[in-house]
Amino acid sequence: MSFLPLSLVVITHNEGLNIARCLDSVPFAADKLVVDSGSTDDTVAIAQAHGARVVHQDWLGFGPQRNFASTQAAHDWILVLDADEFLSPELAADLERGLPALMASSRPAAWLRRRTWLMGAPMRWYRPMVGERMARLYHRDRARWTDARVHESLRFDGAAAEFSAPFNHADNPSLVHKQLKVLRYSELKALDWCDKRRPVRMWLTPLVYLSSFLKDYVLRLAFLDGWRGFIIAQTAASYAAYKRMRYYEMRHNPASIGAAHAKLAKHGLEH
């Protein structure tokens, strides 16, 4: 196996069940970096056993954590994966062939396609989970993550390259995991809105719920994925409504922020 001057970067917190598969799916990366925010399971030991350097960084929020991780990479070109993501063999082969030319160019980044597995099988019709286009490969001097606590994005100028073969996302091993993630992401998003003093507009919440469900279930073709499609559309609509209700509570009862943080921390969800 020949290595390419590429850093695979993964941010983790209690990802012992996923991290080995993620790291092993990129065998050609000369540097594998895991930035861990205080795992209490065996994430760190497994990552090290699978060839990764591990750096500890207390949780900063998704965007700032990714930007910190970029500074710790050994190479300028960086591939970012979440611990529950992994390259398909087809994409790994495409990257091995295409990376040398990309690295020699002045392009800032490359678009990849993500395919999501839900309830043990790939989604086949729901558009955000079938070939979702994401910027995950970039030169760290030409791109930067936004500073959002959650739903961060990679920003860059200029035309990016694109690879068509997918990487895989094993989305939440159960609906329990999904609902816990909804709680965590809602809290982070509401805190971002607090920082920006966004208007509350609670009256919009029922309309947001309805429009979100119809957008995902009908326009994004979730209905073609059967009951799994219904479940994902309902979950997305519930998230859209809940984060607005939580923001309303934060503005009307600021003491709830500390109480919620303590409760989430008790269950390992403060990260």
Side-chain angles (χ1 to χ4, degrees):
M1 172 64 65
S2 59
F3 295 103
L4 294 172
L6 172 79
S7 290
L8 167 64
V9 172
V10 188
I11 59 175
T12 60
H13 182 256
N14 289 342
E15 293 287 355
L17 295 177
N18 295 315
I19 189 62
R21 178 182 57 192
C22 175
L23 295 171
D24 292 348
S25 74
V26 194
F28 51 82
D31 175 45
K32 297 182 181 181
L33 171 66
V34 167
V35 176
D36 188 78
S37 55
S39 291
T40 56
D41 65 359
D42 51 0
T43 297
V44 171
I46 293 174
Q48 291 171 334
H50 286 260
R53 294 185 294 120
V54 179
V55 173
H56 174 83
Q57 172 59 52
D58 290 341
W59 185 245
L60 303 170
F62 279 98
Q65 194 83 351
R66 294 200 195 279
N67 283 325
F68 169 81
S70 292
T71 69
Q72 303 300 301
H75 300 286
D76 288 334
W77 278 98
I78 294 171
L79 170 65
V80 164
L81 293 176
D82 291 337
D84 61 358
E85 297 171 342
F86 54 101
L87 298 190
S88 65
E90 297 81 9
L91 179 56
D94 285 353
L95 289 174
E96 281 193 87
R97 287 191 296 267
L99 277 173
L102 176 61
M103 292 174 170
S105 75
S106 60
R107 290 185 185 269
W111 296 100
L112 305 180
R113 298 278 179 176
R114 185 170 78 169
R115 173 178 58 198
T116 295
W117 291 62
L118 183 70
M119 298 184 178
M123 298 294 280
R124 300 193 180 280
W125 294 99
Y126 177 51
R127 293 172 63 185
M129 290 185 172
V130 180
E132 183 180 9
R133 192 168 179 256
M134 310 184 82
R136 291 294 193 86
L137 177 62
Y138 61 98
H139 190 291
R140 63 179 166 191
D141 292 334
R142 303 170 194 163
R144 178 178 173 82
W145 296 93
T146 57
D147 286 327
R149 286 187 176 93
V150 68
H151 303 317
E152 73 288 1
S153 60
L154 189 68
R155 299 293 175 84
F156 52 86
D157 295 320
E162 186 159 355
F163 293 87
S164 58
F167 68 99
N168 293 306
H169 177 213
D171 188 30
N172 297 296
S174 75
L175 281 176
V176 173
H177 292 78
K178 182 67 174 179
Q179 293 304 316
L180 291 174
K181 181 181 285 188
V182 165
L183 287 176
R184 177 192 179 202
Y185 281 18
S186 297
E187 197 72 11
L188 295 172
K189 193 64 179 179
L191 287 170
D192 273 347
W193 289 345
C194 279
D195 290 346
K196 298 173 182 177
R197 303 297 294 176
R198 170 177 162 154
V200 175
R201 295 173 182 162
M202 187 64 187
W203 62 271
L204 277 173
T205 300
L207 298 176
V208 167
Y209 179 90
L210 181 60
S211 63
S212 176
F213 180 84
L214 292 175
K215 178 180 69 176
D216 281 324
Y217 194 62
V218 179
L219 298 181
R220 291 178 168 177
L221 306 182
F223 72 96
L224 292 175
D225 275 306
W227 286 115
R228 291 189 305 148
F230 174 85
I231 289 167
I232 204 66
Q234 192 280 332
T235 301
S238 294
Y239 169 62
Y242 175 76
K243 64 187 176 184
R244 286 164 173 81
M245 294 188 292
R246 179 68 182 113
Y247 179 52
Y248 173 86
E249 181 181 35
M250 286 181 178
R251 292 290 298 272
H252 284 262
N253 180 22
S256 72
I257 297 174
H261 177 81
K263 188 67 173 178
L264 291 170
K266 183 178 179 180
H267 294 280
L269 297 174
E270 75 277 21
H271 294 84

